[in-house]
């Protein structure tokens, strides 16, 4: 009752009962949640003290987002300062969103109310992560959740050996126990040196990390088929408490960032090394263009630097991955003085949109769809088969796009050409349909579903499953 009386009066009173200090780089909404918890209340209990211009961000399932952020006007900031019993200047220094509130409400200040706007944290101050629970308890005396703006290379709490997970996903987990994986803390310490080298080279460390992350995450997806891979499976099971067990795919998505972190740092370090660029230049033939060997010195050395001597040949032939298609391709073109073929410039650290990693949230959503029987074909179909299907579909679309009914030629000739194109296009689409059905069956989709979705007779579905589609190219 005392807490309720105090907080009801907080909009008018100069101070509150408890002092709740902000954490460094904490989201304003996280501080508000901890303030409510200090009074034994749920976070929503505070919201009525502000006038909100929009709705609180939520996940598709309807649960409130932990990475939500709030921007407050002048009165709103003063009110929160009174509730926390903390000077506004201290809040300004600790909370990255505080200044955004000043900018947002410059023209919209309402003297009689305390106003606020909801945002998603990533749009305000960058990536957000759950704070280390033990650090929060040590600093604030509260065993509660906190969310902070934290770069992806700053996720290890060395004091308590915890990995701080992204706060933008609703999976119910905040930290991972790293006590069995000391290489994680070593990698974070190593990153400090990588960051310095990047700045000396005139490159933003965030760009280097983003490229290395895309490269290694590509390997992470391919590693399920690498018989020689031993490091990641062991590390994944340790982070899952000893055994991922029946929740392997859930852990494969949730723990990915932590599991691959040492390799991301190692790749970033390697790509900044001028000696590695020289190896890549030599493998390309220098001024004399030649086909890159699967046993080239660059990929062989890169495999050694990530502790996998066998990895080089696998990396070298991944022509559509971010390492070969983005970094290596740009480095070689720049050394040869070749122009910019795709209009993106000569920046080797740029990662094309289609090669950027899929987020943990998307992975979990796809996993939920798979468990519900709604399997995404892009996840179920192997890369080689998917590329073939896409090529067939592209060919069909191109052929059908060449049909011209009114092209100035005699009607009979135009009709004949149109029908020929349509027949050929329909043949290609039929082949694509059959191959997609075969790939779905190979991925474990029940035959009755394949027949229903593709309008394929049951006997033909059985034939496809037994022999596969006919390939004439």
């Amino acid at each position: 009752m005392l807490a309720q009386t105090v907080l009801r009066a907080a909009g008018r009173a100069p101070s509150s009962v408890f002092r709740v200090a902000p954490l460094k780089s904490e989201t304003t909404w996280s501080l508000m949640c901890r303030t409510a918890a200090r009074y034994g209340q749920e976070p929503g209990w505070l919201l009525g003290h502000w006038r909100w211009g929009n709705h609180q961000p939520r996940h598709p399932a309807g649960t409130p987002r932990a990475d939500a952020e709030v921007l407050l006007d002048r009165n709103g900031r003063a009110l929160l300062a009174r509730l926390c019993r903390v000077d506004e200047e201290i809040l300004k220094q600790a909370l990255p969103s505080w200044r955004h509130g000043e900018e947002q409400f410059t023209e919209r200040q309402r003297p009689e109310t305390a106003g606020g706007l909801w945002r998603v944290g990533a749009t305000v101050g960058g990536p957000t992560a759950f704070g280390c629970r033990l650090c929060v308890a040590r600093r604030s005396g509260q065993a509660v959740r906190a969310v902070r703006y934290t770069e992806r290379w700053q996720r290890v709490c060395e004091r308590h050996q915890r990995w701080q997970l992204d706060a933008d996903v609703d999976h119910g987990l905040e930290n991972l126990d790293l006590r069995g994986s000391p290489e994680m803390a070593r990698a974070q310490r190593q990153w400090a040196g990588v960051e310095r080298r990047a700045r000396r080279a005139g490159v933003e460390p965030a760009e280097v990390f983003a490229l290395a992350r895309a490269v290694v995450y590509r390997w992470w997806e391919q590693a399920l088929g690498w018989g020689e891979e031993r490091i990641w499976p062991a590390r994944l099971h340790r982070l899952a408490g000893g055994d991922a067990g029946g929740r392997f795919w859930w852990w494969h998505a949730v723990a990915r960032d932590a599991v691959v972190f040492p390799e991301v740092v190692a790749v970033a370090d390697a790509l900044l090394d001028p000696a590695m660029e020289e190896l890549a230049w030599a493998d390309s033939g220098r001024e004399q263009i030649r086909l890159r060997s699967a046993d080239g010195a660059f990929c062989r050395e890169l495999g050694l630097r990530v502790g996998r001597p066998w990895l080089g040949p696998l990396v070298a032939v991944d022509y559509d991955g971010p390492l070969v298609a983005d970094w290596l391709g740009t480095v070689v073109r720049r050394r040869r003085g070749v122009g910019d073929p795709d209009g993106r410039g000569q920046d080797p650290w740029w990662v094309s949109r289609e090669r950027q990693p899929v987020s943990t949230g998307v992975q979990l959503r796809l996993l939920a769809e798979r468990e519900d029987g709604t399997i995404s074909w892009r996840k179920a179909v192997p890369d080689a088969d998917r590329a073939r299907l896409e090529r067939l579909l592209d060919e069909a679309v191109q052929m059908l796009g060449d049909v011209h009914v009114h092209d100035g030629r005699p009607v009979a000739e135009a009709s004949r050409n149109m029908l020929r194109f349509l027949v050929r296009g329909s043949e290609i689409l039929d082949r694509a349909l059959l191959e997609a059905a075969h790939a779905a069956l190979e991925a474990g989709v029940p035959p009755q579903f394949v027949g229903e979705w593709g309008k394929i007779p049951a006997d033909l579905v059985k034939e496809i499953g037994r022999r596969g589609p006919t390939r004439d190219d």
Side-chain angles (χ1 to χ4, degrees):
M1 181 62 70
L2 173 62
Q4 294 181 359
T5 303
V6 169
L7 287 184
R8 275 199 299 269
R12 301 181 299 275
S15 64
S16 186
V17 173
F18 300 113
R19 185 178 189 273
V20 183
L23 304 174
K24 182 181 179 181
S25 300
E26 188 175 13
T27 67
T28 303
W29 175 235
S30 173
L31 176 62
M32 293 170 69
C33 292
R34 291 197 301 111
T35 300
R38 190 69 180 87
Y39 288 91
Q41 301 295 328
E42 293 296 320
W45 189 68
L46 279 178
L47 297 182
H49 295 278
W50 286 267
R51 182 185 181 90
W52 299 98
N54 57 353
H55 296 290
Q56 183 177 0
R58 294 180 177 274
H59 291 289
T63 56
R65 293 182 63 124
D67 66 332
E69 181 59 291
V70 295
L71 306 181
L72 304 176
D73 64 13
R74 184 172 61 249
N75 291 341
R77 294 193 296 273
L79 171 57
L80 181 58
R82 290 196 298 271
L83 291 174
C84 299
R85 294 187 61 192
V86 175
D87 186 85
E88 284 196 48
E89 188 60 32
I90 295 176
L91 295 176
K92 181 178 180 179
Q93 296 299 319
L95 307 178
S97 71
W98 202 259
R99 294 179 295 276
H100 292 276
E102 295 175 349
E103 300 164 1
Q104 185 73 36
F105 290 96
T106 301
E107 304 295 333
R108 303 176 56 181
Q109 180 68 52
R110 303 181 65 170
E112 71 282 4
T113 62
L117 291 173
W118 288 100
R119 295 288 187 267
V120 173
T123 66
V124 177
T128 58
F130 293 107
C132 169
R133 277 263 182 170
L134 298 176
C135 284
V136 174
R138 177 175 176 271
R139 172 75 184 275
S140 67
Q142 296 175 272
V144 295
R145 183 177 74 185
V147 177
R148 299 170 55 241
Y149 292 102
T150 312
E151 296 291 354
R152 299 186 185 280
W153 53 82
Q154 299 172 329
R155 298 298 176 85
V156 177
C157 170
E158 291 198 51
R159 177 187 292 272
H160 299 112
Q161 290 297 293
R162 294 290 185 271
W163 178 272
Q164 301 162 84
L165 289 165
D166 283 339
D168 62 347
V169 187
D170 185 23
H171 50 51
L173 199 59
E174 298 177 23
N175 302 155
L176 299 177
D177 189 342
L178 303 181
R179 285 175 292 180
S181 302
E183 68 273 17
M184 313 296 284
R186 287 197 300 269
Q188 183 160 288
R189 291 193 296 271
Q190 181 187 357
W191 172 257
V194 177
E195 188 171 5
R196 288 192 296 270
R197 283 191 289 278
R199 295 195 184 281
R200 285 198 299 266
V203 184
E204 281 297 320
E207 294 181 352
V208 177
F209 189 87
L211 174 65
R213 182 171 176 256
V215 169
V216 176
Y217 283 16
R218 170 89 168 186
W219 299 349
W220 172 251
E221 295 300 325
Q222 296 171 338
L224 294 170
W226 293 345
E228 299 91 340
E229 179 58 45
R230 297 290 184 272
I231 299 173
W232 281 342
R235 192 180 295 158
L236 175 63
H237 287 299
R238 286 198 303 271
L239 297 187
D243 185 5
R247 302 188 72 192
F248 173 80
W249 290 108
W250 188 88
W251 282 108
H252 187 266
V254 170
R256 175 192 62 178
D257 291 11
V259 173
V260 304
F261 179 61
E263 286 73 22
V264 171
V265 175
V267 169
D269 187 36
L271 297 184
L272 282 168
D273 187 347
M276 291 295 287
E277 183 173 323
E278 287 299 323
L279 291 179
W281 176 235
D283 287 345
S284 71
R286 296 187 172 87
E287 301 295 344
Q288 301 297 322
I289 300 175
R290 72 183 182 198
L291 185 65
R292 186 182 297 108
S293 170
D295 193 32
F298 170 82
C299 291
R300 187 167 61 250
E301 176 64 19
L302 187 61
L304 291 173
R305 293 198 181 196
V306 296
R308 294 162 175 82
W310 46 265
L311 183 59
L314 297 177
V315 172
V317 298
D318 186 19
Y319 301 114
D320 193 43
L323 179 64
V324 175
D326 288 333
W327 191 85
L328 274 173
T330 304
V331 165
V332 172
R333 286 195 301 271
R334 188 177 60 182
R335 296 286 290 263
R336 288 188 177 136
V338 177
D340 179 15
D342 51 14
R344 78 175 200 192
Q346 296 285 29
D347 181 7
W349 307 106
W350 181 83
V351 182
S352 55
R353 180 178 294 274
E354 64 270 17
R355 298 187 185 97
Q356 293 176 5
V358 176
S359 69
T360 300
V362 170
Q363 291 184 86
L364 292 177
R365 186 167 65 250
L366 292 171
L367 179 60
E369 291 174 355
R370 170 175 236 128
E371 291 174 347
D372 291 341
T374 312
I375 301 177
S376 166
W377 79 280
R378 290 187 177 275
K379 281 292 184 183
V381 179
D383 289 345
D385 289 340
R386 186 168 70 244
R388 176 180 172 80
L389 294 178
E390 289 174 342
R391 188 172 66 253
L392 287 172
L393 292 172
D394 288 342
E395 184 180 349
V397 170
Q398 181 179 353
M399 294 193 69
L400 294 176
D402 288 337
V403 174
H404 302 288
V405 178
H406 305 292
D407 58 2
R409 289 178 290 180
V411 173
E413 182 181 358
S415 300
R416 181 190 62 191
N417 291 337
M418 181 179 69
L419 291 172
R420 183 184 299 137
F421 277 122
L422 289 172
V423 169
R424 176 58 179 157
S426 66
E427 290 174 352
I428 295 173
L429 288 173
D430 285 343
R431 286 169 51 205
L433 173 65
L434 296 179
E435 294 202 16
H438 175 66
L441 293 170
E442 288 289 303
V445 179
Q448 63 269 27
F449 291 169
V450 174
E452 178 184 351
W453 299 337
K455 307 300 180 186
I456 305 174
D459 55 347
L460 181 55
V461 172
K462 292 181 180 179
E463 184 69 16
I464 295 172
R466 185 167 58 251
R467 297 186 180 181
T470 301
R471 297 184 179 182
D472 55 10
D473 62 338

